Amino acid sequence: MTGLLEPRAIGMALERVDGPAKVTGTAPYAFEHPVTDPTYLHPVLAGIARGRITAIDTSAAEALDGVLAVITHQNAPRLAAGEDAELTVLQSDEVAFRGQFVGAVVAETSETARHAASLVAVSYDERPHDVELRGDRDDLYAPDQVSAGFPTDTTQGDVDAALAAAAVTVAETYTTAWYNNNPMEPHTTVARWDGTGSLALYDSTQGVHSVRSAVAPVLGLEQDRIRVVAPHVGGGFGSKGTAHAHVVLAAMAARVVAGRPVKFALTRQQMFSLVGYRTPTIQRVRLAADGDGRLSAISMDVVEQTSRIKEFAEQTAVPTRMMYAAQNRRTTHRLAALDVPVPSWMRAPGECPGMFGPEVAMDELAIACGLDPIEFRIRNEPEVDPESGRPFSSRNLVTCLREGGRRFGWSDRDPTPGARRDGGWLVGTGVASSTYPTYRMPGSGATIRFGLGGRYRVEIGAADLGTGTWTALTQIAADALDVGVEEIELRIGDTALPRASVAGGSSGITSWGSAIVAAAQVFRDKFGNDPAEGDQADSTTPENPDADRFAMHAFGAQFAEVRVHEDTGEVRVPRLLGVFAVGRIINPRTARSQLVGGMTMGLSMALHEQSVLDERFGHVVNHDFAEYHIATNADVGTIEAHWIDEHDPYVNPMGSKGIGEIGIVGTAAAVVNAAHHATGIRVRDLPLTLDKLLH
Ligand code: MOS
């Protein structure tokens, strides 16, 4: 058990320490870092989904005034390592998906680069492509493991026998759509080589050190030859959690125009094929219960897609392994490798899509058992993590369900579908559970130095995607050193600072905060409370001594009110309410923003978002904000995020759990369950569009 910090700064609703710089426009985002004599890159993307380039005519592009270079696989510098086929840009004539890089123009202005790129004529030997995800494909395969290192399949007992013997069962297939990450700031890299062969990258990333370690081998550089800088990032949602091909392309282009920096910001449309996305999923969920509404079997079989050139296996069935008690259990993941862009992380990969089917199925089974869906979940609360047998470090799902029900006004609910009307609107309410694991990544370091002016400079290469890292780490450092927040001078977002793990898996505050607390302890042990200028100490994230003893997860309960127009099928969600058990809250202001943001994105997933694949061409046709609809203010009613006072001494010295992702988990199921309550129509395929609600 970790000694918990005495919270003084922790828990304060401190305003964002980076706020003034942001609102005055002085916080540099990747594109804005001043570089001397910049050039601009615009890429050429593959116009086919599969095949070979037979010829590229660059002459018209090269003839334009201001064009400095046109790079294709025919003249591109050779890259050093070819293991990551996503990152090895312009190394062959093969096309693996529509929208892949097949060329790049570097010019004096971005307008010239863009125009010139449109003049590059690429001829192809096109081959038939296959982009169709179906659950009955005969080439589905089991990956060796799924994302974050989880086993592909798990099984306990005999699910089929339990289903056959059960009083009540649900066996249905649910689907989630293809979703694309759309952070406000596009993926951007500014690349600059110096005369000694060192590379500087101003990159919009969730992890400066992760970018460096991904691109160094591809470029054939030692890591210390690369510096990555990202003090401010305009959102990522996972799409900036791993380096994508544009980083390598920018670095390559800057080498070609020797000595001049290259600025490369992807367009919104280009982001739909080049920065990862959430795989569509097909989820076969089977649940069995006895006459008292106790689950005897839980089964989840997931089919999803990956790209032909690089495997990404989303861990979609993993949350099913720990949510509810049942003797007989089964989870499987199968992949189709298609001629599609490379899928990757999108906010709560695994948990977000993976809690949709099961949480709708739980609603269906509760109704079949004649039980209230809150009571049904409470009845199936496990004593320990059902598959590992480990106790939970803390598990307060039941408190969240009860507290949420109380705040939402659940006790007045008539369970009969279609019972409530308001004018032409059918009104319903629904609930679903949320969960997200509490991860700690190894290997972050922090340095603390006592400096001029009596302030402590705290350095760690962490990232702030807009999530509040600047503020939360300042608070943690203040408590760890037992000083006021004004005495902390934080530095993050630079590989010149101590190594930090990626801002992913909602692990940032746990991983970086633990490193800062450890460094503060070393500092105080060495120098006491009256240090001299220049005194310095450092440490790394300690291993959690309790990691193997406990299952560590955050939980939540989400409630939705849905109104469906009886003539048009129009759907409105006037009210969402979530109650979360996420450990100690570092900063209520930024925490609420994360939870409300996650729920908003969950609403968007439930009602609007869907990347529509044109199977004839193999690309997402609605690849812009005109047609890929993300919830706007007009779509969002009241969203309330609350939390319970949770004390967990096992997760980390702050007692906090990650909150960046749990807010999006369960929202879509709550909305779909509420729509069923409103109308009696059970929708099992996202998004919940009006055509699905018309008889
Ligand atoms: Mo988050 S999708 O783990 O960056």
Side-chain angles (χ1 to χ4, degrees), residues 359-382:
E359 285 299 308
V360 177
M362 286 294 280
D363 199 64
E364 298 196 52
L365 192 57
I367 292 167
C369 292
L371 283 173
D372 177 83
I374 293 180
E375 173 56 29
F376 179 57
R377 285 176 172 81
I378 292 171
R379 236 171 249 202
N380 290 290
E381 180 71 0

Side-chain angles (χ1 to χ4, degrees), residues 206 237-238 345-349 436 503-506 661:
Q206 295 174 221
F237 307 113
W345 300 339
M346 184 165 172
R347 204 172 197 168
Y436 198 80
S506 298
E661 290 164 279

Side-chain angles (χ1 to χ4, degrees), residues 273-516:
S273 61
L274 289 161
V275 301
Y277 61 95
R278 196 193 289 292
T279 176
T281 70
I282 302 167
Q283 312 176 5
R284 181 169 173 243
V285 181
R286 293 177 297 158
L287 302 175
D290 66 17
D292 295 333
R294 289 203 162 69
L295 288 165
S296 55
I298 299 175
S299 176
M300 165 103 153
D301 299 293
V302 182
V303 175
E304 54 203 28
Q305 75 190 34
T306 184
S307 68
R308 190 98 64 191
I309 54 165
K310 181 171 170 178
E311 183 181 276
F312 176 77
E314 211 208 51
Q315 71 277 37
T316 313
V318 164
T320 290
R321 296 175 183 167
M322 47 60 69
M323 270 314 284
Y324 301 109
Q327 287 284 315
N328 302 287
R329 324 180 60 88
R330 168 191 154 96
T331 58
T332 68
H333 296 86
R334 295 294 177 269
L335 295 183
L338 304 175
D339 302 306
V340 293
V342 185
S344 183
W345 300 339
M346 184 165 172
R347 204 172 197 168
E351 283 72 20
C352 171
M355 287 286 279
F356 174 68
E359 285 299 308
V360 177
M362 286 294 280
D363 199 64
E364 298 196 52
L365 192 57
I367 292 167
C369 292
L371 283 173
D372 177 83
I374 293 180
E375 173 56 29
F376 179 57
R377 285 176 172 81
I378 292 171
R379 236 171 249 202
N380 290 290
E381 180 71 0
E383 302 261 309
V384 295
D385 180 3
E387 297 203 11
S388 73
R390 283 187 285 202
F392 289 95
S393 62
S394 55
R395 176 172 170 128
N396 286 298
L397 174 60
V398 171
T399 313
C400 292
L401 287 162
R402 291 215 166 104
E403 172 72 3
R406 188 187 66 74
R407 287 178 178 272
F408 192 74
W410 193 259
S411 60
D412 300 339
R413 184 181 190 254
D414 176 345
T416 317
R420 223 174 117 197
R421 269 159 200 277
D422 180 5
W425 296 89
L426 302 166
V427 183
T429 52
V431 63
S433 301
S434 302
T435 191
Y436 198 80
T438 304
Y439 289 124
R440 177 187 306 210
M441 307 280 187
S444 292
T447 298
I448 297 175
R449 188 166 196 272
F450 190 67
L452 273 179
R455 297 178 87 206
Y456 295 82
R457 183 186 290 175
V458 178
E459 299 186 330
I460 183 164
D464 190 328
L465 323 181
T467 44
T469 304
W470 277 105
T471 314
L473 289 186
T474 298
Q475 291 171 266
I476 292 167
D479 282 358
L481 288 162
D482 195 13
V483 298
V485 288
E486 65 289 343
E487 291 175 64
I488 302 298
E489 183 196 331
L490 183 73
R491 300 202 170 179
I492 64 169
D494 192 333
T495 51
L497 304 172
R499 164 176 283 280
S501 55
V502 68
S506 298
S507 68
I509 293 302
T510 290
S511 312
W512 311 322
S514 299
I516 289 172

Side-chain angles (χ1 to χ4, degrees), residues 180-262:
N180 277 87
N181 306 54
N182 275 291
M184 279 204 286
E185 183 199 17
H187 295 65
T188 299
T189 305
V190 178
R192 186 187 59 207
W193 294 88
D194 69 13
T196 71
S198 287
L199 173 66
L201 296 170
Y202 301 97
D203 192 39
S204 183
T205 175
Q206 295 174 221
V208 287
H209 291 90
S210 321
V211 166
R212 186 172 74 169
S213 56
V215 304
V218 180
L219 297 171
L221 292 176
E222 293 301 323
Q223 294 216 17
D224 61 10
R225 297 299 237 169
I226 304 180
R227 179 171 174 200
V228 185
V229 178
H232 303 284
V233 178
F237 307 113
S239 67
K240 296 172 182 171
T242 51
H244 297 290
H246 63 278
V247 183
V248 179
L249 188 58
M252 174 192 273
R255 200 173 244 170
V256 171
V257 292
R260 292 186 67 182
V262 166

Side-chain angles (χ1 to χ4, degrees), residues 42 51 67 157 170 176 186 200 323 443 496 627 657:
H42 198 90
V67 169
V170 165
T176 58
M323 270 314 284
E627 299 196 64
K657 296 177 177 176

